[in-house]
Amino acid sequence: MTDWGVGEEKSIIRVAAVYFTSSYNLFPPLLCSSSQCTWLNPRRWLNLQEYQSKKLMQDSGVAVQRFYVADTASEAQEAAKRLNAKEIVLKAQILAGGRGKGVFDSGLKGGVHLTKDPAVVGELAKKMLGFNLVTKQTPKDGVKVKTVMVAEALDINRETYFAILMDRACNGPVMVGSPQGGMDIEEVAATTPELIFKEVIDIFEGVRDDQALRMAANLGFKGALQRQAADQIKRLYDLFLKVDATQVEVNPLGETPEGQVVCFDAKINFDDNAEFRQKDVFAMDDMTESDATEMEAAKWDLKYIGMDGNIACFVNGAGLAMATCDIIDLHGGKPANFLDLGGGVKERQVYEAFKLLTADPKVEAILVNIFGGIVNCAIIANGITKACRELELKVPLVVRLEGKTVVHTLTHPTCSSFVAIYSGLTLMLLMNGLYTPLICGVHYQQSS
């Protein structure tokens, strides 16, 4: 039987210039049989390309622009001809924002182009496909474009904002909308909060007709367009349930001169704990643009983000990991990573975590900071000793264990041999008290 522990509240963690959301329930989900229970560690790394999100909406009857996907320039040109549209928009498909202002290493400027000539689509696609696109959100060398989306370009008379998301305060889904769309919704909320409208959805009833019509009216749709928008709202909620989404955000939900309500751009977040029943959705996950180390960490249910420092962090719990990074920085050091082991960790995960940390050439010291409330200290100690033996650790190691079985762990023969085996390393085991001076000391020792 796995030891019980209390998980962490949802935390929004700021690590260097990277924002990373780590979502936990009050108690992590369990799979139980008559004899034992096993923790299910949540993961939140599903990434879909724009065209994949549009396809999901299209399959649920949501109005989107007509589009095709192409992998070659000739396919893109043929797709443009098949659209038979007045104007065509060609979009490079990568998992990064700022495509419109990006630059290709082919010399082409912009990852989004408008044209009325299908032949131009083919020429543009030649300069996109197989080349790297650099935007404000990509690595400095950019991301290789392997797919383009060829879509019908529609004029927009008016832009609104609409989203459905899970809200803890309401214990379920809520609708959020604003007549001010096509811009940063946080800015709207800050400057004109009276233009943000909210409707709580009863999870058993779903979106009622009066709620959908009221939200459509609040978004500024009138007459026949109000009913059309209300229908789109209900279809979006059907999609929200169908794919186990945690958020469906449409910005803009637009009104065309021809009297259509169209979802022009959307972002869908998924509940990764529902992967077992959303096989088709998760099979679309595009991992080609993901960081290789983060992908390897995800395989072992480790939450990892690489950073620019030289002190590796090995911590359990998102909040403690964030605090550890902050303390290192406060005392003059620079964290090399954010690594959260989470609860229910096994020795193999500890070992694999050390493999990830030691594979980083920037790492000059490792700090282990464990609070044994949601993990057994003995598991961590055994995993560390195995890693040190097999990986031939060459950098200083500072270990701080506190909590469950820590006394037993530090008096166990495994740990008593720890110092003897690695006497050539800077190894410290701290049972209690403040450890920050040691962090700073390790940093400066390695920098000298």
Side-chain angles (χ1 to χ4, degrees), residues 43-100:
R43 297 179 301 165
R44 305 205 174 261
W45 295 302
L46 175 60
N47 292 309
L48 295 187
Q49 299 283 4
E50 179 186 4
Y51 75 89
Q52 294 171 318
S53 295
K54 282 186 181 293
K55 181 66 166 60
L56 288 175
M57 290 194 293
Q58 190 179 63
D59 291 345
S60 292
V62 177
V64 299
Q65 300 152 281
R66 293 184 297 124
F67 71 94
Y68 293 101
V69 178
D71 300 325
T72 66
S74 59
E75 285 180 7
Q77 185 169 328
E78 285 303 313
K81 291 177 181 177
R82 288 201 305 274
L83 280 173
N84 192 28
K86 292 181 181 178
E87 193 168 26
I88 303 154
V89 58
L90 178 67
K91 290 187 174 185
Q93 297 296 285
I94 62 170
L95 298 170
R99 289 174 294 172

Side-chain angles (χ1 to χ4, degrees), residues 120-163:
V120 173
V121 171
E123 290 303 313
L124 288 169
K126 285 180 182 178
K127 299 176 182 179
M128 289 184 178
L129 291 164
F131 293 98
N132 283 14
L133 175 59
V134 180
T135 78
K136 61 183 179 181
Q137 293 186 10
T138 65
K140 64 178 182 179
D141 294 329
V143 174
K144 181 175 288 187
V145 175
K146 300 178 180 178
T147 306
V148 294
M149 184 178 74
V150 185
E152 176 184 26
L154 297 175
D155 292 327
I156 307 176
N157 272 356
R158 200 172 59 84
E159 296 180 332
T160 73
Y161 172 91
F162 178 75

Side-chain angles (χ1 to χ4, degrees), residues 32-321:
C32 295
S33 66
S34 58
S35 60
Q36 63 179 21
C37 292
T38 303
W39 296 112
L40 295 180
N41 291 318
R43 297 179 301 165
R44 305 205 174 261
W45 295 302
L46 175 60
N47 292 309
L48 295 187
Q49 299 283 4
E50 179 186 4
Y51 75 89
Q52 294 171 318
S53 295
K54 282 186 181 293
K55 181 66 166 60
L56 288 175
M57 290 194 293
Q58 190 179 63
D59 291 345
S60 292
V62 177
V64 299
Q65 300 152 281
R66 293 184 297 124
F67 71 94
Y68 293 101
V69 178
D71 300 325
T72 66
S74 59
E75 285 180 7
Q77 185 169 328
E78 285 303 313
K81 291 177 181 177
R82 288 201 305 274
L83 280 173
N84 192 28
K86 292 181 181 178
E87 193 168 26
I88 303 154
V89 58
L90 178 67
K91 290 187 174 185
Q93 297 296 285
I94 62 170
L95 298 170
R99 289 174 294 172
K101 296 181 180 180
V103 179
F104 287 89
D105 57 6
S106 65
L108 179 67
K109 294 183 178 180
V112 179
H113 287 266
L114 287 167
T115 181
K116 296 180 179 179
D117 186 351
V120 173
V121 171
E123 290 303 313
L124 288 169
K126 285 180 182 178
K127 299 176 182 179
M128 289 184 178
L129 291 164
F131 293 98
N132 283 14
L133 175 59
V134 180
T135 78
K136 61 183 179 181
Q137 293 186 10
T138 65
K140 64 178 182 179
D141 294 329
V143 174
K144 181 175 288 187
V145 175
K146 300 178 180 178
T147 306
V148 294
M149 184 178 74
V150 185
E152 176 184 26
L154 297 175
D155 292 327
I156 307 176
N157 272 356
R158 200 172 59 84
E159 296 180 332
T160 73
Y161 172 91
F162 178 75
I164 303 170
L165 61 143
M166 297 300 292
D167 187 345
R168 288 193 175 205
C170 299
N171 293 318
V174 298
M175 292 187 289
V176 179
S178 173
Q180 296 293 317
M183 58 188 295
D184 188 349
I185 194 62
E186 286 80 8
E187 182 181 337
V188 176
T191 57
T192 53
E194 69 277 6
L195 295 180
I196 302 291
F197 299 94
K198 182 176 177 179
E199 291 275 349
V200 178
I201 302 171
D202 186 311
I203 194 69
F204 297 106
E205 282 188 308
V207 177
R208 302 190 309 272
D209 289 343
D210 64 300
Q211 283 185 303
L213 287 167
R214 184 163 56 247
M215 178 58 76
N218 286 333
L219 296 182
F221 293 103
K222 295 179 173 62
L225 284 174
Q226 182 184 356
R227 291 203 167 275
Q228 192 181 145
D231 178 65
Q232 290 299 302
I233 287 169
K234 296 193 74 169
R235 289 176 186 269
L236 284 166
Y237 182 67
D238 289 341
L239 170 66
F240 179 85
L241 292 181
K242 178 181 175 182
V243 299
D244 282 300
T246 56
Q247 175 178 291
V248 174
E249 181 184 50
V250 181
N251 191 18
L253 177 64
E255 177 183 320
T256 71
E258 295 77 24
Q260 293 177 286
V261 177
V262 179
C263 297
F264 283 93
D265 201 358
K267 177 182 179 181
I268 306 176
N269 293 347
F270 302 87
D271 182 355
D272 290 358
N273 294 316
E275 182 178 357
F276 70 97
R277 65 184 176 208
Q278 296 292 345
K279 297 295 186 184
D280 291 342
V281 172
F282 280 79
M284 294 190 290
D285 194 2
D286 189 342
M287 303 294 286
T288 58
E289 297 177 30
S290 300
D291 179 83
T293 305
E294 291 181 18
M295 288 173 58
E296 182 64 23
K299 284 168 52 179
W300 300 99
D301 289 326
L302 303 170
K303 287 76 177 175
Y304 177 94
I305 296 176
M307 296 167 67
D308 296 329
N310 62 350
I311 301 177
C313 302
F314 181 98
V315 189
N316 69 312
L320 184 59

